[in-house]
């Protein structure tokens, strides 16, 4: 029995350093509270020499079955009962330091803690780090609970994930589970709360466990620690876990390169962790959208602050598949996937370290317009005879119309543009929106788009390439839409096309109309029919 207690309370690592199972404080004590002394005192009160007024039986029923009792005893409170720490009011004024509690709770808790921790260190002490000397215990991740802050990482002792099971089990079975319990990810033990959540979502835990109650051992009220319950986590297989696993190496290499990150990065990094935990906890398309947005904001901060960070790892096409139902994602991926062998990738226009950086302006339409103009200038200076706006992904014409009409979420589009720069576009297959020819496109949009297509246009004399005209974007910047339309009509006539002669009144914001010209869409009837006459009849 003594050996079990020693194994539970303290262990010696392979390096000769001592380590403590966090569930038992620091070697069986918590500040001035000695678990051993308190345990013996309660045993004496309950079993050896109980007082005549101590309702031992009713206290035991209360501990086991939750029945009402008036026999609570004043006692010291530790991390196992954080709700009573500090007294009745836990502040100045009417207060009592010794809050009544059930001594049986402490006795049974300590018995369970010994079963929880004893013996495990002899199995893991050589192979694993000293921190992992307690089952289902990992480094704390400060997400998933309302009071979490960036400082909790330094103020937390650990996280304990208490397993739940539904079928009856004998004590020997429970003890075996606690001694041999596992939470593995890629055949390695989970190291922190996020990895433990991934293991639970990939069935990387022992069979028979239905879920976990997560506890964070946090420093609160001075130097005291409390076991803060951080919610229940069901053991279930979630397909989104595969997407989360792709983020892990990217975040790790980013953290490694930013060894002393500023506060702005830490805040955005915590938002990503919070979104990951929410996705693993509840799943669903909204949680995945929130994660992609938070990852985009983090990437934007990295690329926009001139930090020399290189992304060696890439995301797979699964991310694009999972978000393809969003029109914002289709537009963002089409823009982020722009690439040309001479002009380069679109990412160069949003990376402040690149010479081609152009992502400046007051809002998304202005930033997209500046990037479009920069790309047109680069292609012209390099002698490229067509628009360098070819993309691995093409949005639908209806998506561009929705953007032009201002019915989409600009903030989400921008976040996803940065998030999709992390995709491995070399391995992404060609993708296009469905039913793009069944959408009504505004004539002014269709007319101007003919100058900013990456594909050739069919004319009576054959296929020709028409390049973008900065006079058009300049007129749109000044909100002179009719002037931009006249320039486009003249250019198309010179190219051998037959545009419809019409006056285009101002009905849209000129800057947003210019920004919509950056969005890659397939050339089809949706763009031809509103603005081109038939070559045969001229009608």
């Amino acid at each position: 029995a003594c050996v079990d207690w020693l194994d539970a309370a303290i262990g010696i690592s392979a390096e000769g350093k001592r380590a403590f199972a966090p569930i038992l404080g620091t070697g069986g004590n918590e500040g001035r509270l000695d678990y051993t002394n308190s345990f013996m005192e309660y045993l004496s009160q309950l079993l050896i020499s109980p007082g005549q007024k101590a309702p031992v039986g009713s206290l035991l029923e209360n501990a086991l079955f939750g029945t009402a009792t008036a026999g609570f005893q004043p006692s010291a409170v530790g991390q196992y009962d954080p709700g009573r720490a500090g007294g009745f009011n836990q502040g100045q004024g009417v207060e009592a330091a010794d809050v009544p509690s059930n001594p049986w709770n402490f006795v049974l808790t300590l018995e369970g803690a010994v079963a929880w921790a004893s013996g495990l260190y002899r199995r893991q002490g050589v192979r694993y780090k000293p921190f992992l000397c307690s089952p289902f215990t990992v480094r704390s991740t400060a997400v998933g609970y309302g009071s979490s802050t960036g400082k909790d990482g330094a103020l937390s002792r650990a996280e304990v994930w208490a397993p739940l099971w539904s079928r009856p089990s004998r004590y020997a079975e429970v003890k075996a589970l606690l001694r041999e319990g596992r939470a593995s990810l890629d055949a390695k033990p989970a190291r922190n709360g996020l990895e433990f959540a991934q293991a639970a979502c990939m069935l990387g835990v022992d069979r028979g466990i239905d879920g976990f109650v997560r506890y964070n051992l946090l420093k609160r009220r001075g130097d005291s620690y409390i076991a803060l319950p951080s919610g229940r986590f069901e053991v279930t297989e979630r397909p989104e876990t595969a997407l989360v696993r792709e983020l892990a190496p990217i975040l790790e290499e980013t953290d490694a390169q930013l060894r002393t990150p500023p506060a702005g990065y830490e805040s955005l990094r915590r938002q990503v962790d919070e979104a990951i935990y929410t996705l693993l906890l509840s799943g669903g398309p909204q949680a995945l959208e929130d994660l992609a947005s938070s990852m985009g904001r983090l990437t934007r901060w990295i690329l926009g602050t001139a930090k020399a960070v290189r992304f060696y790892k890439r995301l797979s096409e699964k991310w694009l598949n999972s978000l393809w139902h969003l029109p914002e994602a289709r537009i963002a991926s089409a823009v982020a996937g722009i690439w040309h062998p001479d002009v380069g990738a679109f990412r160069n226009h949003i990376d402040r370290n690149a010479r081609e950086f152009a992502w400046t302006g007051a809002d998304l339409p202005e930033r997209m317009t500046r990037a479009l103009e920069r790309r047109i200038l680069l292609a012209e200076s390099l002698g490229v005879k067509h628009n360098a706006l070819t993309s691995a992904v093409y949005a639908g014409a209806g998506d561009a119309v929705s953007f032009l009409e201002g019915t989409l979420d600009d903030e989400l589009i921008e976040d996803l543009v940065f998030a999709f720069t992390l995709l491995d576009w070399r391995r992404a297959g060609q993708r296009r929106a469905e039913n793009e020819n069944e959408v009504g496109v505004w004539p002014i949009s269709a007319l101007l788009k003919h100058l900013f297509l990456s594909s050739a246009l069919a004319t009576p004399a054959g296929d020709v390439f028409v390049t973008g005209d900065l006079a058009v974007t300049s007129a749109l910047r000044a909100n002179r839409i009719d002037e931009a339309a006249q320039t486009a009509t003249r250019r198309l006539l010179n190219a051998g096309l037959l545009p419809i002669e019409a006056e285009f009144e101002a009905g849209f914001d000129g800057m947003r109309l210019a920004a919509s010209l950056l969005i890659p869409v397939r050339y089809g009837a949706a763009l031809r029919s509103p603005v081109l006459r038939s070559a045969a009849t001229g009608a």
Side-chain angles (χ1 to χ4, degrees), residues 153-313:
L155 298 178
S156 176
R157 180 173 287 162
E159 280 186 24
V160 176
W161 290 63
L164 302 172
W165 57 90
S166 55
R167 69 176 184 86
S169 303
R170 296 180 179 274
Y171 174 71
E173 296 176 282
V174 175
K175 193 172 183 179
L177 168 66
L178 297 178
R179 289 199 176 193
E180 306 296 331
R182 68 182 178 92
S184 58
L185 189 66
D186 295 331
K188 298 179 181 179
R191 298 170 297 176
N192 54 50
L194 288 181
E195 289 190 359
F196 201 108
Q198 291 182 57
C201 289
M202 298 178 60
L203 305 183
V205 296
D206 293 88
R207 293 182 180 180
I209 297 179
D210 300 325
F212 293 89
V213 178
R214 179 185 176 216
Y215 292 91
N216 284 77
L217 305 181
L218 300 172
K219 184 180 288 188
R220 294 288 191 266
R221 305 186 184 97
D223 292 331
S224 300
Y225 281 86
I226 65 170
L228 177 68
S230 306
R232 176 168 173 166
F233 201 101
E234 301 293 335
V235 173
T236 182
E237 191 168 9
R238 295 195 186 282
E240 298 93 343
T241 310
L243 302 177
V244 173
R245 292 179 64 192
E246 293 183 13
L247 285 180
I250 295 178
L251 294 172
E252 288 177 358
E253 69 180 9
T254 303
D255 292 340
Q257 293 179 63
L258 293 174
R259 296 183 179 180
T260 56
Y265 174 81
E266 291 183 345
S267 175
L268 294 171
R269 182 68 172 82
R270 284 193 64 248
Q271 292 180 25
V272 173
D273 287 345
E274 191 79 49
I276 289 175
Y277 186 79
T278 301
L279 178 63
L280 296 174
L281 178 64
S282 57
Q286 184 60 53
L288 181 60
E289 177 185 330
D290 293 341
L291 175 56
S293 296
S294 62
M295 194 64 197
R297 291 191 293 271
L298 179 66
T299 307
R300 180 182 180 183
W301 184 92
I302 293 173
L303 297 181
T305 53
K307 297 293 182 180
V309 175
R310 299 185 64 182
F311 297 96
Y312 298 96
K313 304 294 183 180

Side-chain angles (χ1 to χ4, degrees), residues 181-518:
R182 68 182 178 92
S184 58
L185 189 66
D186 295 331
K188 298 179 181 179
R191 298 170 297 176
N192 54 50
L194 288 181
E195 289 190 359
F196 201 108
Q198 291 182 57
C201 289
M202 298 178 60
L203 305 183
V205 296
D206 293 88
R207 293 182 180 180
I209 297 179
D210 300 325
F212 293 89
V213 178
R214 179 185 176 216
Y215 292 91
N216 284 77
L217 305 181
L218 300 172
K219 184 180 288 188
R220 294 288 191 266
R221 305 186 184 97
D223 292 331
S224 300
Y225 281 86
I226 65 170
L228 177 68
S230 306
R232 176 168 173 166
F233 201 101
E234 301 293 335
V235 173
T236 182
E237 191 168 9
R238 295 195 186 282
E240 298 93 343
T241 310
L243 302 177
V244 173
R245 292 179 64 192
E246 293 183 13
L247 285 180
I250 295 178
L251 294 172
E252 288 177 358
E253 69 180 9
T254 303
D255 292 340
Q257 293 179 63
L258 293 174
R259 296 183 179 180
T260 56
Y265 174 81
E266 291 183 345
S267 175
L268 294 171
R269 182 68 172 82
R270 284 193 64 248
Q271 292 180 25
V272 173
D273 287 345
E274 191 79 49
I276 289 175
Y277 186 79
T278 301
L279 178 63
L280 296 174
L281 178 64
S282 57
Q286 184 60 53
L288 181 60
E289 177 185 330
D290 293 341
L291 175 56
S293 296
S294 62
M295 194 64 197
R297 291 191 293 271
L298 179 66
T299 307
R300 180 182 180 183
W301 184 92
I302 293 173
L303 297 181
T305 53
K307 297 293 182 180
V309 175
R310 299 185 64 182
F311 297 96
Y312 298 96
K313 304 294 183 180
R314 294 295 184 194
L315 300 178
S316 73
E317 196 177 3
K318 295 178 183 177
W319 274 90
L320 182 58
N321 298 338
S322 300
L323 296 167
W324 189 250
H325 63 282
L326 296 172
E328 291 88 350
R330 295 194 290 268
I331 291 176
S333 59
V335 172
I338 293 176
W339 181 84
H340 187 273
D342 298 323
V343 182
F346 182 81
R347 173 178 169 164
N348 295 334
H349 305 310
I350 62 177
D351 186 352
R352 194 172 292 275
N353 287 304
R355 291 181 299 176
E356 298 84 5
F357 176 76
W359 200 252
T360 58
D363 53 19
L364 177 64
E366 183 176 358
R367 290 189 280 271
M368 291 176 63
T369 301
R370 290 186 182 276
L372 173 64
E373 292 173 338
R374 178 67 169 151
R375 198 159 185 84
I376 296 300
L377 282 173
L378 281 173
E380 183 179 342
S381 65
L382 294 172
V384 178
K385 301 301 182 182
H386 59 275
N387 292 317
L389 297 173
T390 304
S391 177
V393 176
Y394 286 88
D399 299 330
V401 170
S402 297
F403 173 81
L404 177 59
E405 295 174 345
T407 60
L408 301 182
D409 187 342
D410 284 359
E411 184 178 353
L412 177 59
I413 292 175
E414 186 165 15
D415 290 342
L416 293 180
V417 166
F418 282 89
F420 284 135
T421 60
L422 299 175
L423 260 69
D424 187 356
W425 290 110
R426 295 173 299 177
R427 299 184 179 181
Q430 284 283 334
R431 179 181 287 271
R432 56 186 293 180
E434 300 296 332
N435 302 324
E436 58 187 42
N437 293 328
E438 300 177 5
V439 179
V441 179
W442 292 97
I444 180 61
S445 175
L447 175 69
L448 299 179
K449 189 63 178 175
H450 276 73
L451 298 184
F452 295 89
L453 292 168
S454 59
S455 57
L457 305 180
T459 70
D463 292 345
V464 297
F465 284 99
V466 180
T467 57
D469 195 327
L470 294 185
V472 171
T473 59
S474 178
L476 292 177
R477 279 179 172 276
N479 220 33
R480 298 193 298 269
I481 296 179
D482 191 59
E483 178 184 329
Q486 292 175 10
T487 302
T489 300
R490 184 172 60 254
R491 288 284 311 279
L492 294 179
L493 283 172
N494 293 339
L497 294 168
L498 300 174
I500 297 174
E501 297 180 3
E503 293 185 1
F504 297 94
E505 298 180 356
F508 297 101
D509 173 67
M511 190 71 75
R512 183 170 288 274
L513 183 55
S516 68
L517 302 177
L518 174 66

Side-chain angles (χ1 to χ4, degrees), residues 36-60:
T36 304
N37 289 345
S38 298
F39 179 78
M40 292 301 182
E41 180 182 350
Y42 294 146
L43 280 184
S44 177
Q45 293 177 4
L46 295 171
L47 299 178
I48 300 176
S49 56
Q52 295 181 353
K53 296 183 179 180
V56 177
S58 65
L59 286 172
L60 182 58

